């Protein structure tokens, strides 16, 4: 395989979690295959007369928690100098994130492989995209109207409400018909009825974990990470104190992943995290899915290596 030039667009590398960061695993996989790796943040992308420029610096990565990266001198490069660009900036999906995706479209136009495809990341809101597969979901509505959500709570008795742009379990509430704070919770989440949110029938199997199923190049990884809520907590997200336990995919989880895989491939979404509770899809994560390291550590998989080999094949 010829040496490739990768650019990784991510958060400040100095702030990442050495033990858990999936993007770091991807960079290790690139380094092990002797590819060139460059690094930048979203504010380093800029346009000049319709061409995307990047203020990027070479990065070396090491398996040493005390010294896991080294940055070279920053210089301005054209997007077309890279073989592939990985968009690995964590949410929130705010205007800065959106503008960065618009800019990365120019790299794609210049013939660079951008993963995940910036147009599809713009199109596929992680909560709303899941509703395209509503036959695999718990009953779900999206609305900014309290009246519809109150009716939904009355109908289903036990409901999860969440913002459409949240991450790491932020802004997720469980409401039952006798919850004393339904009004104030919905006022806050919908910004007084001006912002649509999602309401989903509660899935009691959350006690067994909110499972992250990774799909690489349209193929489900054989193991998932069950994120099990801590005592007295509704959310399994690791960022909200959940415990991550890797386990083999069930037949149902594999069936879900294989059912949505053709759509993902068609959209250029090559690294995706499916969230599954009780055999039902709750979200489809396309921005910067994680959990690679936990599954690798517990199951001996090499998910990041498989991903980089997929990109090598696409570029061959």
């Amino acid at each position: 395989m010829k040496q490739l030039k990768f650019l990784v667009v991510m958060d400040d590398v100095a702030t990442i979690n050495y033990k858990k960061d999936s993007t770091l695993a991807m960079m290790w996989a690139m380094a092990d295959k002797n590819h060139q790796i460059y690094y930048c943040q979203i504010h380093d992308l800029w346009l000049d007369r319709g061409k995307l420029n990047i203020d990027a610096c070479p990065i070396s990565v090491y398996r040493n928690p005390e010294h896991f990266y080294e940055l070279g001198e920053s210089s301005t490069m054209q997007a077309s100098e890279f073989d592939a660009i990985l968009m690995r900036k964590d949410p929130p999906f705010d205007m800065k994130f959106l503008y960065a995706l618009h800019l990365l479209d120019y790299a794609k136009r210049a013939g660079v492989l951008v993963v995940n495809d910036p147009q599809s990341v713009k199109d596929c809101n992680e909560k709303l995209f899941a509703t395209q597969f509503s036959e695999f979901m718990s009953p779900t509505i999206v609305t900014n109207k309290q009246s519809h959500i109150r009716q939904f709570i009355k109908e289903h008795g036990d409901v999860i409400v969440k913002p459409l742009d949240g991450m790491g379990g932020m802004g997720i509430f469980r409401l039952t018909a006798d919850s004393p704070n339904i009004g104030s919770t919905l006022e806050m989440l919908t910004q007084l009825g001006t912002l649509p949110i999602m309401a989903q029938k509660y899935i009691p199997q959350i006690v067994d974990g909110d499972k992250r199923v990774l799909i690489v190049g349209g193929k489900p990884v054989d193991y998932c990470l069950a994120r099990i809520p801590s005592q007295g907590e509704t959310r399994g997200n690791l960022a909200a104190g959940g415990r991550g336990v890797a386990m083999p995919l069930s037949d149902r989880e594999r069936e879900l992943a294989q059912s949505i895989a053709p759509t993902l491939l068609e959209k250029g979404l090559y690294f995706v995290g499916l969230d599954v509770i009780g055999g039902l899809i709750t979200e489809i994560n396309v921005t910067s899915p994680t959990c690679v390291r936990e599954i690798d550590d517990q199951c001996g998989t090499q998910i990041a290596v498989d991903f980089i080999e997929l990109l090598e094949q696409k570029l061959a």
Side-chain angles (χ1 to χ4, degrees), residues 51-73:
K51 286 195 166 60
L52 178 63
N53 289 310
I54 298 140
D55 296 334
C57 42
I59 183 169
S60 303
V61 287
Y62 310 100
R63 289 174 172 83
N64 174 357
E66 305 306 314
H67 179 70
F68 62 87
Y69 73 94
E70 214 165 84
L71 296 178
E73 198 68 34

Side-chain angles (χ1 to χ4, degrees), residues 50-106:
K51 286 195 166 60
L52 178 63
N53 289 310
I54 298 140
D55 296 334
C57 42
I59 183 169
S60 303
V61 287
Y62 310 100
R63 289 174 172 83
N64 174 357
E66 305 306 314
H67 179 70
F68 62 87
Y69 73 94
E70 214 165 84
L71 296 178
E73 198 68 34
S74 175
S75 63
T76 297
M77 305 171 74
Q78 290 214 337
S80 53
E81 292 179 52
F82 296 100
D83 295 294
I85 297 177
L86 271 62
M87 174 49 154
R88 291 288 303 171
K89 165 88 180 77
D90 282 342
F93 194 115
D94 53 15
M95 289 311 291
K96 287 181 274 193
F97 197 106
L98 184 62
Y99 292 145
L101 294 173
H102 279 292
L103 292 176
L104 287 171
D105 271 333
Y106 287 83

Side-chain angles (χ1 to χ4, degrees), residues 255-315:
E255 178 201 342
L256 293 175
Q258 287 171 340
S259 300
I260 72 161
T263 306
L264 301 178
L265 285 178
E266 198 181 288
K267 291 180 177 291
L269 297 167
Y270 297 124
F271 196 87
V272 173
L274 197 59
D275 288 348
V276 178
I277 303 173
L280 297 166
I281 295 173
T282 59
E283 287 181 31
I284 302 174
N285 296 273
V286 301
T287 49
S288 179
T290 58
C291 299
V292 165
R293 302 281 296 283
E294 294 88 344
I295 297 172
D296 279 355
D297 289 347
Q298 294 179 44
C299 302
T301 45
Q302 291 188 300
I303 299 165
V305 175
D306 294 342
F307 176 52
I308 299 308
E309 285 178 354
L310 167 85
L311 300 186
E312 287 174 341
Q313 286 161 18
K314 295 218 157 293
L315 293 163

Side-chain angles (χ1 to χ4, degrees), residues 146-313:
Q146 270 213 38
S147 54
H148 294 322
I149 299 171
R150 285 178 177 276
Q151 181 57 40
F152 188 77
I153 294 169
K154 199 169 156 188
E155 185 184 340
H156 295 289
D158 198 346
V159 166
I160 293 290
V161 289
K162 53 187 170 183
L164 296 177
D165 62 351
M167 59 168 279
M170 283 191 303
I172 292 179
F173 294 89
R174 182 178 174 187
L175 298 174
T176 54
D178 56 0
S179 291
N181 293 318
I182 293 177
S184 53
T185 303
L186 297 183
E187 279 169 15
M188 181 184 68
L189 287 180
T190 65
Q191 295 181 11
L192 298 175
T194 62
L195 189 71
I197 64 168
M198 178 172 275
Q200 266 174 347
K201 183 181 177 186
Y202 176 71
I203 308 168
Q205 292 92 323
I206 181 65
V207 295
D208 303 322
D210 176 351
K211 295 185 181 176
R212 167 59 55 84
V213 177
L214 290 172
I215 305 172
V216 180
K219 294 194 176 110
V221 172
D222 289 332
Y223 300 88
C224 63
L225 190 75
R227 296 159 301 171
I228 297 165
S230 51
Q231 190 66 40
E233 177 57 82
T234 300
R235 305 163 300 168
N237 309 70
L238 301 183
R243 188 165 51 91
V245 180
M247 51 184 69
L249 283 198
S250 68
D251 290 345
R252 170 64 173 173
E253 287 148 6
R254 191 176 295 280
E255 178 201 342
L256 293 175
Q258 287 171 340
S259 300
I260 72 161
T263 306
L264 301 178
L265 285 178
E266 198 181 288
K267 291 180 177 291
L269 297 167
Y270 297 124
F271 196 87
V272 173
L274 197 59
D275 288 348
V276 178
I277 303 173
L280 297 166
I281 295 173
T282 59
E283 287 181 31
I284 302 174
N285 296 273
V286 301
T287 49
S288 179
T290 58
C291 299
V292 165
R293 302 281 296 283
E294 294 88 344
I295 297 172
D296 279 355
D297 289 347
Q298 294 179 44
C299 302
T301 45
Q302 291 188 300
I303 299 165
V305 175
D306 294 342
F307 176 52
I308 299 308
E309 285 178 354
L310 167 85
L311 300 186
E312 287 174 341
Q313 286 161 18

